Amino acid sequence: MSTSTSKPYGGGRTGDMVKPNAKGGKEKVPLSTHLIAGGVAGLAEALVCHPLDTIKVRMQLSKSRKARGLKPLGFFATGRQIAARETPLGLYKGLGAVVSGIVPKMAIRFASFEKYRGLLMDAEGKVSSKGTFLAGLGAGATEAVAVVTPMEVIKIRLQAQQHSLADPLDVPRYRNAAQAAFTIVREEGLATLYRGVTLTALRQATNQGVNFTAYQQFKKLALDAQPTLTDLPSYQTMVLGLISGAMGPFSNAPIDTIKTRIQKAAKEPGETALSRFVKVSSDMFKNEGMAAFYKGITPRVLRVAPGQAIVFTVYERVKLAIDQAKESVLGEDYEA
């Protein structure tokens, strides 16, 4: 019976996303497995963690209370305000945009990481910590350009709308992800969907670089401390994913906040990417202080960290189920 040893972001003692074949060699996990298992894992993450992302976006966009001399609302207060004014479903605004991008995002993340990692292997098939970090940077930048940027522009526009979902007469400008995308392209041009692409790529690259590297190092320490294990149990994978997932947001919080402000704003004539960045960042520092660059850090960490734990655990379970299903259909000759 063929047993998969692959783990998300590297698993087992070798860290290779591979499985033994009938000849004793190693085969890469097929792209179809990355697509299905990664897509299901991403969907689970979105359904569980999206309310935290909505709270984060609202906190990052908040300016009016500071202008009136009031203390900015915290994490729980912002969540309560959204639920009270817009019903609890308001916490899921923009979910459609996220779900529509989850499958390609996860497929690109896993597949591109393995591709870049393969290019950085030495003659013995090993990858250094530096190589893992560079592969993570490449994977994050690739997913940002291919999927994440347009998805986030649409998501942020939906999340920024403060309308009540309980009032049928309170019709928002953007009703759903598809209509929002059509409206943005029609009124502001296709390029608007890629507003903030540089900052998004920088955020995703640093996120995945830190996440991949931290997870690999934590995993190695865990396996070294448990020499009888060849793979980590799911609960340990979840804990390591939680810790490594929390490290990314702290490394790039200012980038994420500036990106959110840029993507929420409508296009202005004669404005360039650099001028938008300078204007937004300088206005934030002048009017709101240095702390403004870290707005939403609490819900972002609370979203990203458990999100990574969910992705690690669900990915492994779904991938194992896919392997078992293929074996039951194809029999002992199944290799990939």
Side-chain angles (χ1 to χ4, degrees), residues 73-312:
L73 292 178
F75 167 58
F76 291 107
T78 300
R80 284 196 300 268
Q81 184 184 78
I82 294 172
R85 291 182 177 179
E86 306 163 46
T87 78
L89 288 177
L91 294 169
Y92 282 91
K93 287 179 177 178
L95 179 62
V98 173
V99 170
S100 65
I102 280 294
V103 171
K105 171 185 173 180
M106 288 298 178
I108 289 169
R109 175 181 296 177
F110 284 109
S112 61
F113 173 70
E114 275 304 293
K115 180 64 175 177
Y116 297 138
R117 192 168 176 273
L119 295 174
L120 295 167
M121 283 183 178
D122 60 21
E124 298 178 356
K126 296 180 180 179
V127 182
S128 65
S129 296
K130 179 180 178 181
T132 300
F133 182 73
L134 291 174
L137 287 178
T142 301
E143 72 178 19
V145 174
V147 178
V148 176
T149 302
M151 179 184 76
E152 290 216 344
V153 170
I154 296 168
K155 174 185 70 70
I156 289 168
R157 294 290 182 96
L158 289 164
Q159 289 174 320
Q161 298 180 131
Q162 300 187 29
H163 66 287
S164 173
L165 296 177
D167 185 358
L169 299 179
D170 190 0
V171 180
R173 175 178 175 77
Y174 305 117
R175 297 188 295 276
N176 53 57
Q179 185 266 341
F182 177 78
T183 302
I184 292 169
V185 172
R186 182 187 63 190
E187 297 181 356
E188 303 175 51
L190 182 63
T192 301
L193 293 178
Y194 283 88
R195 177 170 294 167
V197 64
T198 303
L199 292 176
T200 304
L202 185 58
R203 185 199 65 181
Q204 293 300 110
T206 51
N207 264 349
Q208 299 312 319
V210 170
N211 188 31
F212 278 90
T213 307
Y215 180 78
Q216 290 277 26
Q217 293 303 311
F218 291 146
K219 178 202 68 184
K220 183 177 183 301
L221 292 173
L223 286 169
D224 288 344
Q226 304 168 96
T228 58
L229 296 180
T230 56
D231 294 306
L232 296 178
S234 294
Y235 80 91
Q236 292 186 21
T237 301
M238 180 172 285
V239 171
L240 297 185
L242 189 75
I243 297 171
S244 61
M247 297 177 71
F250 284 110
S251 70
N252 55 30
I255 296 171
D256 188 58
T257 303
I258 296 170
K259 176 200 69 68
T260 299
R261 296 278 181 101
I262 288 174
Q263 290 178 324
K264 188 260 182 182
K267 182 179 180 180
E268 295 183 11
E271 194 177 45
T272 66
L274 179 60
S275 66
R276 278 196 301 270
F277 174 82
V278 172
K279 182 177 185 299
V280 169
S281 56
S282 60
D283 285 350
M284 285 175 62
F285 184 77
K286 179 181 178 181
N287 300 321
E288 303 170 64
M290 190 62 194
F293 292 92
Y294 287 86
K295 281 186 175 181
I297 185 63
T298 300
R300 187 172 175 225
V301 171
L302 290 176
R303 187 213 182 286
V304 173
Q308 288 300 313
I310 291 169
V311 166
F312 275 61

Side-chain angles (χ1 to χ4, degrees), residues 4-12 17 29 33 37-38 41 110 215 231-234 237-238 309-324:
S4 173
T5 61
S6 70
K7 297 285 179 187
Y9 312 153
M17 297 183 70
V29 177
T33 300
F110 284 109
Y215 180 78
D231 294 306
L232 296 178
S234 294
T237 301
M238 180 172 285
I310 291 169
V311 166
F312 275 61
T313 306
V314 174
Y315 178 91
E316 282 302 309
R317 293 297 182 183
V318 174
K319 191 182 69 58
L320 178 60
I322 292 171
D323 283 347
Q324 291 174 341

